[in-house]
Amino acid sequence: MTSPALVLDFGGPVLLTPFELAAAESGTPAYALLNQRGPLAAAEQPDPAWEDLQAGRITERAYWAARAAQWHESGGHEPDIRAMIAHLYEPARPALVREQARALVRDARATGIPVGILTNDLRAFHSEDWIEKIEIVGDVDVVVDGSIEGHLKPAPRLYELLSQRLGVAFADMVFLDDQATNIRGAEALGIPSVWFDVANPDASYAEVRKLLGLPVMEEGRDG
């Protein structure tokens, strides 16, 4: 039997989302735009643009471009995605990475499970200097970044590149992503996939661990 491989989307499953970071910025334009939006939106106050993204009616880039323009109009800096992301994510710091992600990568590597990151926007949203300072990027075996490959999830070619570089067949991967459209793209290729629930990270990590045959951690523990 072929050993499984762990494949992680970066923004969301590994890196805290802008929605979570904005919650700590009460009174700022970022807080007004992002707090309780996206995957954290309450049922009585939905985020229609996020719902369009999940349904595949708009792209993730389009969603964030619109949010960046609104942020600029509300008193933020330049009206582009990188400026808004830099405001939330600079400087690079350990607290930006989920402890559950660190534990999952560590446990997978310790048992010989190869680990890849499959992302659309790592270099589109962040500088090379910032990426170098986020240690977990250097802890995985392969990083496939759509922003430099010319293909974006859910395009099959990006998953194919990941498969080739990891040396693992689609059926032998376990893929974790917070975007429903990317999950659908992976499942169409036969990749076992788990949708990452930003509102309940522990449950998502537990499901991935079960599929990989790794011990499931107790909720709230960081390993």
Side-chain angles (χ1 to χ4, degrees):
M1 180 178 176
T2 304
S3 175
L6 170 62
V7 179
L8 299 168
D9 174 39
F10 189 65
V14 174
L15 200 66
L16 292 175
T17 65
F19 309 102
E20 293 163 291
L21 294 177
E25 295 207 341
S26 182
T28 70
Y31 178 89
L33 280 171
L34 299 175
N35 185 53
Q36 297 300 304
R37 301 290 182 91
L40 302 179
E44 62 272 16
Q45 193 176 8
D47 182 343
W50 185 260
E51 293 175 359
D52 285 343
L53 170 57
Q54 300 313 301
R57 292 187 289 268
I58 63 172
T59 66
E60 194 169 6
R61 295 275 181 90
Y63 178 88
W64 287 114
R67 282 279 179 252
Q70 292 171 330
W71 178 71
H72 173 68
E73 292 166 2
S74 301
H77 300 294
E78 295 86 354
D80 63 76
I81 298 171
R82 283 187 73 122
M84 186 175 72
I85 293 297
H87 171 77
L88 292 169
Y89 287 90
E90 295 285 356
R93 54 199 185 274
L96 294 173
V97 175
R98 299 184 193 276
E99 288 300 325
Q100 301 103 316
R102 285 197 180 93
L104 178 59
V105 170
R106 181 177 64 242
D107 291 352
R109 295 290 300 275
T111 57
I113 294 172
V115 181
I117 286 175
L118 184 63
T119 176
N120 277 349
D121 299 309
L122 184 56
R123 287 169 180 80
F125 288 1
H126 302 285
S127 69
E128 288 293 338
D129 179 67
W130 185 93
I131 294 168
E132 289 178 3
K133 291 177 180 176
I134 297 294
E135 294 89 348
I136 197 168
V137 176
D139 292 338
V140 305
D141 299 288
V142 171
V143 177
V144 175
D145 184 356
S147 62
I148 62 173
E149 298 292 350
H151 305 275
L152 299 176
K153 295 175 291 184
R157 182 56 182 157
L158 205 64
Y159 302 92
E160 291 168 357
L161 290 171
L162 190 283
S163 174
Q164 292 168 7
R165 293 174 190 175
L166 268 182
V168 176
F170 289 148
D172 296 318
M173 298 178 183
V174 175
F175 177 53
L176 182 65
D177 197 294
D178 65 332
Q179 296 299 323
T181 187
N182 297 338
I183 293 293
R184 290 192 294 270
E187 290 178 338
L189 297 172
I191 301 172
S193 301
V194 175
W195 172 70
F196 181 77
D197 184 355
V198 174
N200 190 5
D202 286 326
S204 302
Y205 287 112
E207 182 62 24
V208 170
R209 284 177 170 272
K210 289 175 184 176
L211 291 172
L212 291 170
L214 295 173
V216 175
M217 296 165 51
E218 295 179 17
E219 290 193 11
R221 291 186 59 187
D222 60 14

